[in-house]
Amino acid sequence: MTPFNFRNKKSVGLFCLLFAFLCLTQHLSAQYASPKEGLIKTPYQELPLGAIKAHGWLEEMLIRQKNGATGKLDALYPLMNRRNGWLGGDGDQWERGPYWIDGLLPLAYILKDKELIAKVKPWIEWSLQSQTPDGYFGPSKDYPQEAGLQRDNSRDWWPKMVMLKVLKQYYSATGDKRVIKLMTNYFRYQLAELPKKPLDHWTYWARYRAGDNLMVVYWLYNITGDKFLLDLGELLHKQSFDFTNAFLHTDLLQKFGSIHTVNLAQGMKEPLIYYQAHADDRYLQAAKKGFDDLKKYNGTANGLYGGDEALHGNNPTQGNELCAAVEMMFTLENALQITGSLDYADQLEKIAFNALPTQTSDDYMSRQYFQQVNQVMLSRQMHNFGDNHAGTDVCYGLLTGYPCCTSNMHQGWPKFVQNLWYATADQGIAALVYAPSEVTTAVAGNVAVTITEETAYPFQESIRFTVKTGKPVKFPFHLRVPAWCKNAVVKINGQSFTQSEGNNVLKLDRTWKPGDIVELSLPMHLSKSRWYENSIAIERGPITYALKMGEDFREIKNTTDYAAFGNYTEVHPATPWNYGIYDVNDQKLPEHFKVELTGKNSRYPWNLENAPVTIKTKAKRIPSWTLYNGKAGPLPYSHIYGLEKDDREEDIILVPYGCTTLRITQFPQIGRK
């Protein structure tokens, strides 16, 4: 056979064709694979990394990550240089390196970006080559203390759990068999060592976060069928924090400070992960009760919960940690495919379309450690948080607050893309979360199909799917109808096909022809929700709306403790914020809250300038509601006769929460209409 000549155009073309075929073959393996004996058949199954592409505004988010901190963290943050322990150096060797790659790797392979893949490869190669004869892998030598670095507890179980997630994704994208060998040997090592050195032997983090470890164990079992992996699963579950009991039988989620907010976000999926090997309804019930109680006692209108850093109730001026946002999204993505419960999809969209975009800067070069639902000033000073990091927690910066989020924030959008579409147990395809995208996969006996999703969702209510296939093929196409939608309408090739109430999956089972078009309409009705101190939030579809405020950005050159927190940005209010709104009867909401589509169609919709939707309403200021400690003061309780107030009505504008930096989201009432 004549070797390839990469200077010859024909050879290059043939090579590219072969490479494309290999990639397609990898993606076609996406058709639902029945689990090995001992694990349940889940309703949905993840597709290989790279099978789903982002389009429109979602692609722009990924590009901004590439050009921002995700693609440049090795240059911006010294802990990610060659000294890092996960590259064989004597520098930081704990979670931060794996955290970064856990977001960078899916970003690289979704974008098929050679430069980013080249950044990922050294971390993968070092990890694969680090394995010792007993099966251990990763950094193994402790070093003396050095400011800003985590150089001890190198053999702690927890950082390996993050790298296992990375390697799982790498295998999904490449099929590199070395991953299977490493994991098999490492899991044998764990089975032998955990009885002597349990999950909390070095630090307590692994005990709360072992669901990540267990997830990969079951994933590997479905590939190899090695029975010892089920034994390891039992051991990991036994040594884990008992979230099942805590949710069902204790007041864990009712008490301030009872659990670290990121431990909770990561650990909440453990009962559902374990459910795959033990199909007992109590694990489903535990997860449901956990989410219900979290919202009841700590929930906020952006889909998150008070946790700064420990659990801290539902006051809208408590902090929501960025790590908690991205980890909770990943937990919800797992929960959705294991259970098929659409509540998890609704909450996933709530976090993704509200909390996530506002907590990073437009250029993705800085972030907040904590965000607040009622957030009227970002300045460096102490706040009523459980943890204060020299008062920098709400300021935008690369290192403000605590640098775990500097490394961990990158997984949010790439994994969201990865979980827009799923293979189904009936050999079809499911769109359970909506955003502009495209999927290439296999259906109905390994027939290739590509479906393109065109939409301005979550701002607008129409979604258009175009089916591309080489020949007519019969398969079921699953479409989620969110709980907030009262009457979804589906058209196929322009003809009305079906209607559905909310919280439902429409299964369109038919013979699909090349070029078939499915139009899904999800009418977005205004609604209101009640929160802390009887406050009100206004919602439309999956988006919560917040007061549009004037925002005065101030770049601060840090001359005090730059090494710890870097430079940062403060944001001060340039317009009033202390408004109350009317409690309007549900039927009258459209009359008093006027929705306007702005006509702006930017590829980056997440700021005040580009907000695609606004809502206009009447409000009154509450003079007694003033700043306290650099934030909105205690929220006035909403009495049925109204609050102390200025008698003058003013026009205010609400915009999507994710477009704001400063905002009031949970409003006091000023009366009823």
Side-chain angles (χ1 to χ4, degrees):
M1 181 177 179
T2 304
F4 282 110
N5 178 358
F6 285 91
R7 295 184 180 179
N8 181 281
K9 291 184 179 180
K10 289 184 178 180
S11 292
V12 171
L14 183 58
F15 175 80
C16 291
L17 183 63
L18 176 61
F19 180 76
F21 174 77
L22 291 173
C23 290
L24 180 61
T25 300
Q26 174 70 9
H27 292 165
L28 290 184
S29 67
Q31 191 164 6
Y32 192 99
S34 294
K36 295 285 194 297
E37 182 182 357
L39 296 183
I40 65 167
K41 177 179 283 191
T42 60
Y44 302 109
Q45 194 172 89
E46 187 179 55
L47 301 177
L49 182 59
I52 304 169
K53 298 178 182 178
H55 289 321
W57 69 261
L58 187 54
E59 180 184 33
E60 179 66 19
M61 300 302 291
L62 301 187
I63 291 172
R64 289 183 181 229
Q65 281 196 238
K66 171 193 170 181
N67 296 328
T70 308
K72 299 177 179 178
L73 198 62
D74 50 344
L76 297 170
Y77 190 30
L79 272 67
M80 301 305 163
N81 63 22
R82 295 297 306 180
R83 282 192 65 197
N84 191 281
W86 285 93
L87 294 172
D90 66 346
D92 197 274
Q93 56 186 334
W94 209 52
E95 66 184 8
R96 295 179 200 174
Y99 263 162
W100 176 41
I101 306 303
D102 193 31
L104 179 63
L105 187 145
L107 177 69
Y109 282 99
I110 289 170
L111 291 177
K112 296 179 172 58
D113 188 280
K114 294 179 180 178
E115 180 183 352
L116 297 185
I117 291 173
K119 284 181 182 282
V120 165
K121 281 296 184 68
W123 298 78
I124 298 297
E125 291 300 324
W126 186 87
S127 296
L128 291 173
Q129 295 170 22
S130 70
Q131 192 158 55
T132 53
D134 62 357
Y136 177 84
F137 84 105
S140 58
K141 181 180 179 181
D142 289 350
Y143 295 93
Q145 182 179 0
E146 184 175 328
L149 300 183
Q150 294 171 307
R151 302 207 303 165
D152 59 349
N153 295 320
S154 60
R155 301 183 77 90
D156 188 9
W157 300 109
W158 157 237
K160 280 75 172 175
M161 296 180 188
V162 187
M163 189 53 74
L164 289 170
K165 289 164 59 185
V166 171
L167 292 171
K168 173 182 176 289
Q169 294 175 95
Y170 174 68
Y171 180 84
S172 177
T174 67
D176 190 333
K177 298 295 186 183
R178 295 179 298 165
V179 171
I180 305 303
K181 180 180 179 182
L182 177 138
M183 287 186 179
T184 299
N185 291 336
Y186 177 65
F187 289 148
R188 290 191 184 279
Y189 170 83
Q190 278 198 305
L191 188 60
E193 288 294 312
L194 280 170
K196 298 175 287 185
K197 296 181 177 67
L199 290 174
D200 57 3
H201 177 77
W202 284 281
T203 68
Y204 73 95
W205 301 101
R207 180 169 174 252
Y208 286 89
R209 301 176 177 185
D212 286 339
N213 200 147
L214 185 61
M215 172 190 69
V216 182
V217 168
Y218 288 161
W219 172 81
L220 182 64
Y221 173 71
N222 271 330
I223 294 174
T224 67
D226 289 335
K227 295 292 187 181
F228 84 89
L229 293 168
L230 297 181
D231 296 333
L232 175 59
E234 296 303 309
L235 183 57
L236 287 167
H237 176 72
K238 182 179 179 180
Q239 292 189 3
S240 299
F241 177 79
D242 192 349
F243 283 98
T244 301
N245 180 69
F247 294 156
L248 288 176
H249 303 302
T250 79
D251 60 354
L252 176 79
L253 300 182
Q254 302 176 34
K255 296 189 300 184
F256 285 6
S258 60
I259 187 169
H260 186 273
T261 182
V262 183
N263 281 344
L264 180 62
Q266 293 177 317
M268 287 192 82
K269 63 177 170 288
E270 200 278 342
L272 297 179
I273 299 292
Y274 188 64
Y275 170 77
Q276 294 175 97
H278 297 270
D280 187 328
D281 280 351
R282 72 189 182 100
Y283 298 113
L284 302 179
Q285 294 164 5
K288 183 181 185 307
K289 187 173 186 298
F291 278 102
D292 288 347
D293 285 351
L294 184 61
K295 180 178 180 179
K296 179 179 179 180
Y297 297 108
N298 302 275
T300 49
N302 60 358
L304 287 174
Y305 51 96
D308 48 32
E309 292 176 356
L311 210 59
H312 205 159
N314 50 17
N315 189 324
T317 55
Q318 295 310 141
N320 303 148
E321 187 178 335
L322 178 53
C323 278
V326 297
E327 292 292 356
M328 186 58 83
M329 286 175 63
F330 185 61
T331 283
L332 291 164
E333 288 155 1
N334 278 271
L336 176 59
Q337 61 179 294
I338 291 171
T339 69
S341 173
L342 302 185
D343 292 342
Y344 297 128
D346 289 340
Q347 188 171 351
L348 172 60
E349 288 191 348
K350 181 68 74 175
I351 297 172
F353 298 146
N354 294 280
L356 186 59
T358 187
Q359 207 156 358
T360 55
S361 60
D362 288 1
D363 62 3
Y364 217 82
M365 289 291 283
S366 64
R367 85 294 179 274
Q368 282 182 293
Y369 187 56
F370 297 144
Q371 66 171 290
Q372 299 164 297
V373 175
N374 283 1
Q375 180 170 280
V376 299
M377 178 183 286
L378 307 183
S379 58
R380 181 172 184 176
Q381 61 188 88
M382 303 299 279
H383 295 86
N384 286 24
F385 299 150
D387 288 82
N388 283 270
H389 301 90
T392 67
D393 293 285
V394 297
C395 299
Y396 280 85
L398 189 68
L399 300 176
T400 48
Y402 193 73
C404 58
C405 293
T406 303
S407 302
N408 197 21
M409 67 180 183
H410 312 283
Q411 66 169 307
W413 289 118
K415 291 184 181 178
F416 182 75
V417 172
Q418 178 68 4
N419 286 274
L420 294 173
W421 298 83
Y422 294 96
T424 65
D426 55 9
Q427 298 192 64
I429 185 74
L432 300 183
V433 180
Y434 297 121
S437 60
E438 179 178 298
V439 62
T440 297
T441 186
V443 295
N446 220 32
V447 178
V449 63
T450 295
I451 303 177
T452 301
E453 178 179 353
E454 300 170 275
T455 184
Y457 190 89
F459 308 103
Q460 296 186 26
E461 52 197 28
S462 62
I463 305 172
R464 177 186 173 98
F465 301 94
T466 302
V467 179
K468 303 172 186 176
T469 181
K471 61 180 181 180
V473 56
K474 189 177 188 300
F475 66 91
F477 185 8
H478 298 233
L479 295 173
R480 161 180 155 262
V481 180
W484 50 259
C485 182
K486 297 177 182 178
N487 185 29
V489 177
V490 173
K491 293 182 179 180
I492 299 179
N493 297 327
Q495 300 297 313
S496 181
F497 182 79
T498 189
Q499 295 182 333
S500 173
E501 296 180 347
N503 197 33
N504 192 23
V505 171
L506 294 173
K507 190 163 79 169
L508 313 180
D509 195 354
R510 68 193 299 270
T511 298
W512 299 93
K513 299 179 179 63
D516 277 350
I517 293 174
V518 177
E519 296 170 282
L520 173 64
S521 176
L522 300 171
M524 294 181 176
H525 305 281
L526 284 168
S527 64
K528 65 179 189 287
S529 53
R530 294 193 182 276
W531 301 90
Y532 180 79
E533 296 287 33
N534 206 27
S535 59
I536 297 174
I538 301 299
E539 303 181 26
R540 176 180 174 269
I543 288 181
T544 301
Y545 284 75
L547 177 68
K548 181 180 181 180
M549 293 178 56
E551 300 172 343
D552 177 15
F553 287 77
R554 304 178 185 181
E555 304 297 325
I556 307 298
K557 187 174 182 179
N558 185 3
T559 59
T560 305
D561 44 19
Y562 176 85
F565 302 108
N567 295 327
Y568 53 90
T569 300
E570 294 188 346
V571 187
H572 292 245
T575 55
W577 56 265
N578 55 339
Y579 290 100
I581 63 174
Y582 290 103
D583 182 11
V584 177
N585 183 280
D586 288 350
Q587 287 70 36
K588 294 182 178 180
L589 281 171
E591 177 184 341
H592 292 274
F593 293 86
K594 302 290 188 180
V595 176
E596 295 184 6
L597 301 180
T598 64
K600 296 177 181 178
N601 193 27
S602 170
R603 278 178 62 87
Y604 185 80
W606 301 109
N607 56 31
L608 294 181
E609 179 184 357
N610 297 330
V613 187
T614 63
I615 298 176
K616 294 182 178 179
T617 192
K618 299 289 186 180
K620 293 182 180 181
R621 292 193 215 174
I622 303 171
S624 63
W625 191 20
T626 59
L627 283 173
Y628 168 74
N629 226 16
K631 62 182 184 179
L635 188 67
Y637 183 77
S638 298
H639 295 282
I640 60 172
Y641 297 110
L643 295 158
E644 170 200 356
K645 56 188 178 295
D646 191 315
D647 288 334
R648 293 168 296 177
E649 280 189 339
E650 297 182 40
D651 294 320
I652 63 169
I653 295 175
L654 310 182
V655 295
Y657 181 102
C659 298
T660 66
T661 300
L662 302 182
R663 57 188 165 260
I664 292 293
T665 312
Q666 296 175 202
F667 291 87
Q669 300 174 32
I670 54 170
R672 289 183 174 178
K673 283 195 175 183

